[in-house]
Amino acid sequence: MNLLDCVERTTGAAPAWSILWLHGLGADGHDFEPIVPELLRPGWPALRFVFPHAPVRPVTLNNGLPMRAWYDLKNLDLDQRADETGVRQSITQVEALIARENERGVPSERIVLAGFSQGGAIALAAGVRREAPLAAIVGLSTYLPMGSTTAAEATPQALRTPVFMAHGSHDPVVPEGFGARSRDQLRALGVAVDWHSYPMPHSVCAEEVRDLAGWLGQRFQAG
């Protein structure tokens, strides 16, 4: 399997940690590049940010138009929203990128898997199914896909991975209720979910970035 093309940014020599960040529907790996300087804090270890480009595929809810997407969207209902075949393909592609970070000297326990919207859905779905747990999972303005199979497929060690979830209370694209239901599903499985709500639409705000930076700083200290 060919690795996805990625945009990479490092914050120092010989990065000890990696943050794999998945963009939303119709965007690409450049979308969250600007967050790097906003997120960084003094005293953090050297990081490698990896921003992969999702494959281009037809998206049913967008009249079948091809665009970068981690999976097809066929239905707006939470349980049927994400195309399972596409989700599983994207999980496999993300796993390949994690394996490359391992080969580059960054163990799974020093890798953060983050994503926005569709990318966040893949981050959550992939993160709780891993045999080797990650340092952290970040899901922004998103939901847990394949919720009905998560309990059976999640691993005990991965369910101990801390999760940061944030959502806009005025989100017209992914209703905040979808995120809240997914938070509750994960918590019911024993996941420690740090939940944040902000008065914003389907976007990212400065307060959210500040809160995420503080939360990530705790992970770096623990690691």
Side-chain angles (χ1 to χ4, degrees):
M1 182 185 66
N2 293 329
L3 285 174
L4 295 173
D5 289 333
C6 301
V7 177
E8 293 193 4
R9 295 289 177 267
T10 56
T11 66
W17 291 71
S18 296
I19 298 181
L20 181 59
W21 198 300
L22 312 179
H23 63 76
L25 177 67
D28 64 19
H30 293 286
D31 196 38
F32 275 91
E33 268 188 286
I35 207 169
V36 175
E38 296 179 25
L39 199 59
L40 294 182
R41 296 294 183 269
W44 279 15
L47 305 172
R48 178 186 294 114
F49 284 84
V50 180
F51 301 102
H53 301 298
V56 175
R57 68 181 85 219
V59 176
T60 301
L61 283 181
N62 284 347
N63 298 315
L65 292 174
M67 60 184 60
R68 292 198 182 277
W70 296 105
Y71 49 85
D72 189 15
L73 283 175
K74 297 181 177 178
N75 191 306
L76 287 176
D77 180 73
L78 176 58
D79 295 327
Q80 304 298 322
R81 189 181 183 98
D83 165 50
E84 182 173 336
T85 300
V87 171
R88 293 190 184 279
Q89 287 173 347
S90 289
I91 290 174
T92 300
Q93 290 170 317
V94 167
E95 284 296 326
L97 293 174
I98 292 173
R100 182 177 65 171
E101 293 309 297
N102 296 158
E103 292 165 5
R104 294 201 278 192
V106 182
S108 297
E109 62 267 23
R110 291 208 302 266
I111 294 175
V112 177
L113 181 56
F116 175 80
S117 197
Q118 267 206 354
I122 297 301
L124 293 173
V128 299
R129 287 170 167 79
R130 304 203 81 246
E131 292 297 329
L134 300 168
I137 303 167
V138 178
L140 307 180
S141 302
T142 193
Y143 55 92
L144 178 69
M146 303 192 304
S148 59
T149 64
T150 299
E153 297 178 359
T155 67
Q157 55 271 34
L159 291 174
R160 293 194 291 270
T161 307
V163 174
F164 181 100
M165 290 185 74
H167 221 108
S169 57
H170 311 316
D171 192 331
V173 178
V174 179
E176 186 180 34
F178 284 10
R181 280 172 57 188
S182 298
R183 170 203 65 198
D184 294 346
Q185 280 183 295
L186 290 168
R187 284 178 173 170
L189 294 173
V191 178
V193 180
D194 197 328
W195 170 263
H196 298 260
S197 177
Y198 305 94
M200 64 178 182
H202 193 61
S203 60
V204 175
C205 66
E207 184 183 0
E208 178 182 22
V209 174
R210 186 192 66 208
D211 291 342
L212 176 58
W215 188 83
L216 286 173
Q218 295 174 355
R219 311 280 85 76
F220 298 146
Q221 289 177 351

